[in-house]
Amino acid sequence: MIQMNDVIVIGGGPSGLHTAGLLADSGLDVKLFEKKNRIGEDILCTGIIGKEAFERFGLKEDSILSELAYMNMVSPSGTSLRYDHGKVFACVVDRKKFDLNLAHKALSCGAQIFTGTRVENIRNAGDYIEVSSFSKKRGETRHRAKIAVLATGIEYRLHKKIGLGYPKNYINGAQVELDVINGEGPLIMVGSKVAPGAFAWNIPVRKNRTRLGLITEKDAAFYLKKLVSSLYPEKVTALESEQFLSKIIAQGPVSKTYSHRVIAVGEAAAQVKTTTGGGIYYGLLCSKIAAETILRKFPTDSFELSDLSEYERSWKKAIKRELLVGYFARRTCGRLGDKDVEKLFQLAKTNGVFPLIRERGKFDWQVDLILELAKKASIPSLKTLIKI
Ligand SMILES: Cc1cc2nc3c(=O)[nH]c(=O)nc-3n(C[C@H](O)[C@H](O)[C@H](O)COP(=O)(O)OP(=O)(O)OC[C@H]3O[C@@H](n4cnc5c(N)ncnc54)[C@H](O)[C@@H]3O)c2cc1C
């Protein structure tokens, strides 16, 4: 006899773990399946999260490795600018510890977490949802629940089986963590030779460790290797090619994030900042919206399409404009030639741009600032953003 659960969550990243924790905390019986053997294993992420997130989502602060209150920026020709925010605007976390904290919270609320368990199939059986999973320990098993939450990150295989949409656009990200002293502090680098279409970063995480990474529309691992060679040539030979790991990052929004008895959350729903590729904050925000929707509908078992459409309306109300404006802003800036980027650096030096960023800039809420900056820029293509 297959046991019936209230909720099955597929994927043990921040979005799945937070959703599981919130639902279990409200008394639902929640099972979470994660294909990796351990939560927090093999994660490719810089771990930068807006400071505001810790209070907003009740996150433990012991995963914080460093805080960001300023940022250096380097133009294609090497012009350097320093932006000082005046206070901490973001934190860099140890992703393993961050995810483990969310897992411990979910467990303490009563959720069950099964690691090393890959969900292979998902099927809507009318009155319930059925998933088949495989683990080395238990072999093939089947599980049933009133509703399933897909929090599978950039894996969209299950989406196709139940008619969910998936992102049409992606950008490529890559990162290495190096044991070097980054004396310059946090650094953003732009230019067609560094990270075509986007930007690179070098973020110190402890006294003698730094995270060097980039997002680009081209081959991220290739550009990362090039960047390491130019900044830390002594490190290149020590690094194996496999260490230049890259990963795609979803660029949303996705057309359909719910189906009968199923919703998608986090990067599985492309709830990822389209300017930077950061997905932790929006993943947590939309997990909360997902959990609230499920809790409202659970007492009457109302998980029809019309019931779950509320979830999509709510999360799109919260972040769709951020995703759209951010996407066009990043694409527009990414298509500027290096000469135009130099002009933007000049503009930033002279035109009251930094005071505006200080006043209006929020790490995870960028539309207002982007539109204000677009008004100031003398580059025609940026002006079109104002119409979005
Ligand atoms: C180079 C790089 C740097 C980044 N830096 C940042 C940053 O600084 N800040 C930020 O906010 N974001 C950053 N991101 C993005 C961030 O890592 C993701 O947006 C975030 O992890 C998404 O969380 P999630 O829970 O939605 O998905 P994930 O964290 O990807 O979790 C999904 C989980 O589902 C599991 N899974 C998938 N399929 C199955 C299945 N069938 N059965 C069972 N389990 C399954 C996976 O193993 C995975 O553990 C970065 C990404 C890259 C590539």
Side-chain angles (χ1 to χ4, degrees):
M1 172 90 174
I2 302 171
Q3 192 199 339
M4 178 68 82
N5 301 102
D6 292 340
V7 187
I8 286 174
V9 178
I10 309 169
S15 311
L17 291 166
H18 194 50
T19 311
L22 292 170
L23 292 171
D25 194 32
S26 295
L28 297 197
D29 143 45
V30 182
K31 265 186 184 161
L32 181 147
F33 299 107
E34 166 55 50
K35 70 183 167 103
K36 290 181 192 163
N37 288 330
R38 274 177 285 274
I39 298 291
E41 199 174 67
D42 298 333
I43 297 176
L44 191 63
C45 180
T46 313
I48 304 178
I49 310 172
K51 177 80 179 150
E52 177 219 351
F54 289 84
E55 203 181 316
R56 180 164 194 166
F57 303 115
L59 305 171
K60 280 178 80 177
E61 298 197 1
D62 59 355
S63 64
I64 296 176
L65 297 171
S66 60
E67 295 184 319
L68 304 176
Y70 71 94
M71 190 62 79
N72 294 306
M73 287 167 274
V74 178
S75 79
S77 71
T79 302
S80 199
L81 272 182
R82 179 182 160 119
Y83 166 70
D84 228 309
H85 195 64
K87 58 183 180 197
V88 172
F89 60 87
C91 303
V92 187
V93 298
D94 172 344
R95 258 299 295 270
K96 186 173 182 179
K97 182 133 184 66
F98 183 86
D99 287 21
L100 279 172
N101 282 345
L102 290 170
H104 289 143
K105 193 166 173 196
L107 286 169
S108 71
C109 293
Q112 298 176 71
I113 297 180
F114 298 86
T115 51
T117 308
R118 180 183 182 90
V119 171
E120 305 277 2
N121 208 352
I122 182 163
R123 176 176 80 87
N124 184 339
D127 288 346
Y128 57 87
I129 204 93
E130 184 171 288
V131 307
S132 327
S133 67
F134 177 81
S135 74
K136 279 191 185 150
K137 216 158 127 191
R138 288 176 295 276
E140 271 183 39
T141 39
R142 281 189 289 159
H143 317 266
R144 289 178 182 166
K146 290 290 176 191
I147 182 159
V149 177
L150 255 67
T152 50
I154 50 151
E155 289 198 33
Y156 300 98
R157 209 173 40 85
L158 298 173
H159 289 52
K160 294 180 192 168
K161 295 183 190 275
I162 38 169
L164 291 184
Y166 37 94
K168 290 194 181 64
N169 300 300
Y170 299 91
I171 192 157
N172 305 308
Q175 180 186 265
V176 278
E177 188 167 321
L178 301 170
D179 55 344
V180 293
I181 296 170
N182 170 352
E184 288 175 286
L187 183 70
I188 295 287
M189 294 155 276
V190 289
S192 60
K193 295 203 168 58
V194 178
F199 63 94
W201 60 87
N202 192 4
I203 308 287
V205 281
R206 287 195 193 94
K207 228 167 67 189
N208 58 351
R209 285 191 82 75
T210 198
R211 288 181 185 159
L212 187 63
L214 55 87
I215 54 170
T216 176
E217 292 178 350
K218 307 272 188 219
D219 179 346
F222 168 81
Y223 280 95
L224 182 60
K225 198 167 182 179
K226 210 172 133 201
L227 191 60
V228 177
S229 313
S230 80
L231 295 180
Y232 306 108
E234 73 285 3
K235 290 287 166 196
V236 178
T237 42
L239 286 167
E240 303 288 335
S241 287
E242 311 85 72
Q243 286 176 275
F244 291 96
L245 290 177
S246 65
K247 194 177 168 191
I248 55 167
I249 298 176
Q251 299 265 281
V254 158
S255 55
K256 192 154 175 274
T257 55
Y258 64 96
S259 144
H260 186 198
R261 294 193 182 276
V262 183
I263 55 182
V265 75
E267 194 157 4
Q271 292 156 345
V272 174
K273 267 193 289 179
T274 38
T275 44
T276 63
I280 301 171
Y281 184 95
Y282 287 167
L284 296 177
L285 181 77
C286 296
S287 300
K288 191 160 179 282
I289 296 173
E292 284 165 358
T293 310
I294 293 172
L295 289 169
R296 263 198 318 278
K297 303 292 174 184
F298 193 82
T300 49
D301 191 30
S302 306
F303 294 127
E304 299 292 326
L305 286 178
S306 55
D307 302 303
L308 294 180
S309 63
E310 271 179 35
Y311 161 65
E312 188 165 291
R313 271 201 303 280
S314 303
W315 80 254
K316 285 193 172 167
K317 189 171 172 209
I319 63 167
K320 185 177 173 188
R321 195 153 174 267
E322 291 282 337
L323 300 188
L324 287 176
V325 173
Y327 182 71
F328 284 107
R330 209 261 313 138
R331 293 259 301 181
T332 308
C333 291
R335 273 158 185 60
L336 296 176
D338 285 351
K339 277 191 185 150
D340 279 336
V341 176
E342 295 294 343
K343 280 189 208 160
L344 288 182
F345 268 69
Q346 286 311 318
L347 182 80
K349 270 185 177 168
T350 54
N351 205 8
V353 167
F354 282 171
L356 182 69
I357 300 178
R358 222 166 278 126
E359 189 197 319
R360 306 285 286 271
K362 289 193 192 131
F363 190 71
D364 291 298
W365 300 101
Q366 300 169 341
V367 165
D368 289 350
L369 179 64
I370 290 172
L371 296 181
E372 283 299 323
L373 291 175
K375 274 189 220 158
K376 275 185 176 286
S378 58
I379 294 167
S381 53
L382 280 178
K383 300 244 182 222
T384 59
L385 280 175
I386 299 162
K387 295 182 194 136
I388 294 175

